[in-house]
């Protein structure tokens, strides 16, 4: 579970509901002074939220970019229905296309973990709204066996508790190492309780069956691509991400001092790598 350093937006950002043709989505909309050099759309991972990018917003706006971090449908402050069909990957990808349209295309699309696989699906559906694609700790196919087991246990816990998110949270905390249980605990619990459990069940299952679509994505040209990760990753091993970057002919960035969530582990280094990538892809 990602642990942002704070849930309070910086002065450059506003928390608001973004209206789109597919409904409203909770966002943090961070804008630089003057005309932006470009706009980035930031998609969080499984059990995460827009706050997973919160420490990157000031450095990104300082580099001249508008950054819009989004709660997907059923995530934290974005409402979502209790229907599994509503969280099919193609539906979530269509949401991304609508969000890009609403903030103003073309956009630099960034997806962390599950958000990266949804971002990939959006690009494969229609690449025209996107100036670049960055996948942060988001692999080519299904998650590792150890993480599949964690998703299975979560799904079983939701079923056994009749979708009681409070009871499941207590179980998760009992299983976490002591040093990881008290970081912004009340905010993390509040975020967890606001997730739609059907969204968690459906997207968790997607992570365990996702096919390898790297060849399809590599064929999307001339879209510049960027693969980022920490130095260690239990969800998709780093050598697997190295190979994916080669298959995509993508820029590869390994963020020192980070693991599965460079955006929260090392936000300044991650933001610097993103803005440098975007600088090189902006029209001159």
């Amino acid at each position: 579970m990602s642990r942002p350093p704070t849930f309070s937006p910086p002065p450059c950002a506003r928390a608001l509901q973004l209206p789109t043709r597919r409904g409203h989505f909770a966002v943090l909309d961070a804008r630089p002074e003057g005309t932006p050099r470009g706009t980035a759309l930031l998609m969080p991972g499984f059990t995460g939220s827009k706050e997973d990018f919160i420490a990157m917003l000031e450095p990104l706006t300082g580099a001249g970019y508008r950054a819009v971090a989004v709660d997907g449908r059923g995530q934290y402050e974005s409402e979502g229905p209790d229907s599994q069909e509503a969280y099919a990957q193609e539906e979530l990808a269509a949401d991304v296309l609508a969000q890009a349209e609403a903030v103003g295309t073309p956009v630099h699309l960034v997806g962390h973990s599950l958000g990266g696989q949804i971002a990939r699906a959006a690009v494969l559906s229609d690449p025209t709204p996107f100036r670049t694609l960055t996948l942060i700790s988001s692999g080519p196919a299904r998650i590792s066996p150890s993480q599949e087991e964690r998703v299975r246990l979560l799904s079983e816990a939701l079923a056994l508790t009749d979708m009681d998110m409070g009871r499941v949270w207590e179980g998760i905390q009992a299983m976490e190492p002591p040093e990881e249980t008290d970081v912004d605990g009340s905010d993390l619990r509040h975020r967890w309780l606001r997730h739609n459990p059907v969204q968690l069940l459906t997207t968790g299952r997607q992570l365990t069956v996702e096919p390898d679509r790297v060849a399809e994505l590599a064929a999307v040209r001339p879209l510049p691509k960027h693969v980022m990760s920490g130095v260690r990753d239990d969800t998709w091993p780093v050598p697997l991400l190295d190979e994916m970057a080669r298959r995509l002919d993508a820029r590869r960035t390994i963020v020192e001092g980070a693991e599965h969530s460079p955006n929260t582990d090392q936000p300044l280094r991650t933001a610097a790598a993103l803005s440098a990538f975007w600088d090189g892809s902006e029209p001159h």
Side-chain angles (χ1 to χ4, degrees):
M1 182 180 296
S2 59
R3 287 169 168 78
T6 179
F7 277 67
S8 300
C12 65
R14 291 186 303 150
L16 51 85
Q17 291 285 321
L18 177 72
T20 80
R21 55 183 166 80
R22 290 178 63 84
H24 287 66
F25 296 88
V27 302
L28 296 175
D29 190 342
R31 303 186 182 223
E33 295 183 8
T35 303
R37 301 190 61 189
T39 297
L41 193 62
L42 312 176
M43 319 304 298
F46 184 61
T47 76
S49 69
K50 60 191 179 303
E51 285 72 20
D52 292 346
F53 300 102
I54 204 164
M56 294 170 51
L57 298 179
E58 282 193 316
L60 290 178
T61 58
Y65 290 93
R66 178 188 176 198
V68 183
V70 183
D71 286 339
R73 68 166 68 186
Q75 281 185 320
Y76 190 27
E77 295 180 320
S78 288
E79 296 297 326
D82 296 332
S83 162
Q84 292 191 24
E85 292 77 11
Y87 303 105
Q89 190 183 77
E90 58 268 25
E91 293 295 322
L92 301 179
D95 288 347
V96 174
L97 294 171
Q99 294 155 6
E101 178 184 279
V103 301
T105 59
V107 302
H108 297 287
L109 184 59
V110 178
H112 171 242
S113 196
L114 170 70
Q117 296 199 332
I118 295 169
R120 178 173 74 177
V123 168
L124 291 175
S125 175
D126 180 6
T128 57
F130 306 113
R131 181 161 284 162
T132 67
L133 172 65
T134 298
L135 304 175
I136 301 178
S137 302
S138 186
R142 61 198 292 178
I143 55 179
S144 67
S146 64
Q147 293 303 306
E148 285 188 23
E149 177 65 10
R150 290 174 70 90
V151 170
R152 184 187 68 79
L153 290 172
L154 172 59
S155 298
E156 289 182 353
L158 287 168
L160 287 171
T161 61
D162 195 26
M163 302 292 191
D164 186 328
M165 294 289 280
R167 288 176 61 192
V168 175
W169 174 259
E170 292 171 4
I172 290 172
Q173 294 308 290
M175 294 172 61
E176 292 285 354
E179 66 272 16
E180 294 186 355
T181 58
D182 57 356
V183 180
D184 288 325
S186 60
D187 287 331
L188 291 171
R189 182 178 185 277
H190 178 69
R191 176 174 69 175
W192 172 262
L193 293 176
R194 294 205 53 184
H195 273 74
N196 187 306
V198 179
Q199 187 266 353
L200 292 174
L201 281 172
T202 309
T203 57
R205 188 178 307 115
Q206 289 171 20
L207 286 168
T208 68
V209 298
E210 178 74 4
D212 188 322
R213 306 187 71 185
V214 174
E216 292 177 69
L217 184 59
V220 178
R221 297 183 181 277
L223 182 74
K225 305 171 186 74
H226 186 193
V227 174
M228 301 184 69
S229 74
V231 297
R232 179 177 176 275
D233 197 308
D234 291 334
T235 306
W236 288 280
V238 169
L240 189 66
L241 299 173
D242 293 338
E243 176 62 20
M244 184 178 76
R246 286 191 289 270
R247 293 171 63 194
L248 291 172
D249 191 24
R251 178 180 291 203
R252 179 73 173 105
T253 299
I254 296 178
V255 181
E256 293 296 326
E259 296 192 10
H260 182 63
S261 298
N263 41 313
T264 57
D265 295 343
Q266 293 290 337
L268 297 182
R269 291 177 178 175
T270 304
L274 279 173
S275 59
F277 173 57
W278 298 338
D279 289 349
S281 64
E282 288 293 328
H284 298 287

